[in-house]
Amino acid sequence: MIKKDTRFLIVGLGLIGGSYAMGLKRNGFHVDAIDINQLSIDYAKEHDIIDEGSTFAIELIQNADFIISGLYPNMTVEWYATYQKYMKPHAFLTDVSGVKRNIVERIQSILREDLEFCASHPMAGKEVSGVKYADDAIFHIANFIITPTAKNTQTAIATLKEFASILGFTNISILTPEEHDEMVGFVSQLTHVIAVSLMNTNDNTHLVEYTGDSFRDLTRIAKINENLWSELFFLNKDNLIREIDDFVKEINHLKTKLEQDDVEGLKELFIQSTIRRKRFDR
Amino acid sequence: MIKKDTRFLIVGLGLIGGSYAMGLKRNGFHVDAIDINQLSIDYAKEHDIIDEGSTFAIELIQNADFIISGLYPNMTVEWYATYQKYMKPHAFLTDVSGVKRNIVERIQSILREDLEFCASHPMAGKEVSGVKYADDAIFHIANFIITPTAKNTQTAIATLKEFASILGFTNISILTPEEHDEMVGFVSQLTHVIAVSLMNTNDNTHLVEYTGDSFRDLTRIAKINENLWSELFFLNKDNLIREIDDFVKEINHLKTKLEQDDVEGLKELFIQSTIRRKRFDR
């Protein structure tokens, strides 16, 4: 159970870290933050998103019961490796990374015996970044995925479930790191590959005045943070390459129907996609 | 100039035909309609979307000054070929087809000398069909494309511009049928190919609980009317196959960056797509 006097520490006060802080504060918890940018700390304090913050303060780490890294995946590993020595005995740790296999294994293999790291992934976001855009409402229609391993306790899983409930996530699920990475390879990473590639197919910016909602919807996520997403892609390279191959195979299958003037075959593809897509309606 | 006593006839009272009727009536014009489905006619009359309507009435054709075919492309050609004999001398004709080259040429080559057909394409729609969903507000953020040929007069182009203004279209453009079909091949048809193929890539419906907004946005148009869209695709087959090939080449280019562990190369693709997509922001 998450006690009312639990002291949270957010490491990396970006969009997700900031939104977590906002939601936790709204629920009456004490929230501290560490970020390399003093402006982010100042903004968050001024807007009552955090209680205390600093670009670096050992005391904030020492006092924390529940630490959330809002840093990029590889940086999360490094940060926990470097600063675990200052952590309170039995502190609870999690992250927000969009890939899990590699990250979870690396953290759990180097962590102090008394600390527990149980990974989680809030499937929420915006096309903008930084604490200035923090908004805990983004969690209210989002999925929260917990990815425990054999090294995690049932208590840790229960704690993360409660944490997600407090923040108002709609769905809370449990997946293995392997299942998680396969799922995001399709649902999230492949969609970004498609949007980016469509935007990069020839230079079609002269067509801007003719584009409608469907083109804009399809390419919205082509505005992408290149540092974060290149890291996410390479950490899930095997899954993503397989998903790209499957998708290209499917698109070439449709092309074959066109080339062969197979009207009925093309209609069948449309009927199948329509039936499947209906199951995704909210 | 479109006179206040112009009598409009909508042939095919679907989503677009119905929305046209609604907008024209709202602006005080007389609007009749022909549709094969009596229920559509009844609905439109009850809801004051049209003045008169029928499943078939020669008088409605004889009385019309301005005829708009809201039928599918090939059916539009057939309907004009069959019923032009009943039309008032110097009646003005247009359509709503999403492809132009083949359709415009076929209609203009068989049309009576005194009639003028100037093609146009309202780039608006919904994922539902039928007059029940008619709503002329769909035009207010949409593009209206006029595709005249050497057989068209300046008066016809001016008439269509005025027509689009009356209906509240945001942008009105003039393209050749060839330019139009190349443009929709990329902006509209390729995006539908992508959405359909993504939806058909393996059976991923078990992932529904994990999908977020980006996946839903990308696949929204995978719910597709198979009869209309198969016709549109085959009428623009050459352009569409070329666009598919270009897109697949681009997506494989991104895959190569992954396979070669080319972090900087991948980032460059993300930066390019981000810059380009920003130009498409409203």
Side-chain angles (χ1 to χ4, degrees), chain A residues 143 200 202 205 209 216-217 219-220 222-223 237 245 255 261 272-273 276-277 279-281, chain B residues 143 200 202 205 209 216-217 219-220 222-223 237 245 255 261 272-273 276-277 279-281:
Chain A
N143 298 303
N200 287 344
N202 306 321
T205 44
E209 62 182 300
R216 285 197 164 77
D217 281 355
T219 57
R220 183 173 58 86
K223 285 197 289 184
K237 183 176 145 174
D245 286 340
K255 193 181 83 163
D261 290 320
Q272 176 174 270
S273 74
R276 285 193 184 170
R277 181 56 179 79
R279 293 193 222 153
F280 286 78
D281 283 343
Chain B
N143 297 303
N200 287 342
N202 307 319
T205 44
E209 61 182 301
R216 286 196 164 77
D217 282 354
T219 56
R220 183 174 57 85
K223 283 197 290 187
K237 183 176 144 173
D245 286 339
K255 192 181 83 163
D261 291 318
Q272 177 175 269
S273 73
R276 285 194 184 169
R277 182 55 180 80
R279 291 190 224 155
F280 285 78
D281 283 341

Side-chain angles (χ1 to χ4, degrees), chain A residues 178-239:
Chain A
E178 290 71 24
E179 288 167 340
H180 171 276
D181 286 4
E182 195 182 333
M183 181 271 289
V184 298
F186 179 73
V187 161
S188 167
Q189 297 186 333
L190 177 61
T191 55
H192 283 78
V193 167
I194 290 170
V196 165
S197 299
L198 177 58
M199 211 62 244
N200 287 344
T201 299
N202 306 321
D203 186 354
N204 288 295
T205 44
H206 64 286
L207 296 176
V208 61
E209 62 182 300
Y210 305 110
T211 54
D213 285 345
S214 51
F215 185 81
R216 285 197 164 77
D217 281 355
L218 218 74
T219 57
R220 183 173 58 86
I221 54 175
K223 285 197 289 184
I224 187 169
N225 176 329
E226 72 273 13
N227 296 310
L228 174 59
W229 282 88
S230 57
E231 199 173 314
L232 293 172
F233 277 20
F234 280 109
L235 286 167
N236 201 27
K237 183 176 145 174
D238 54 345
N239 281 323

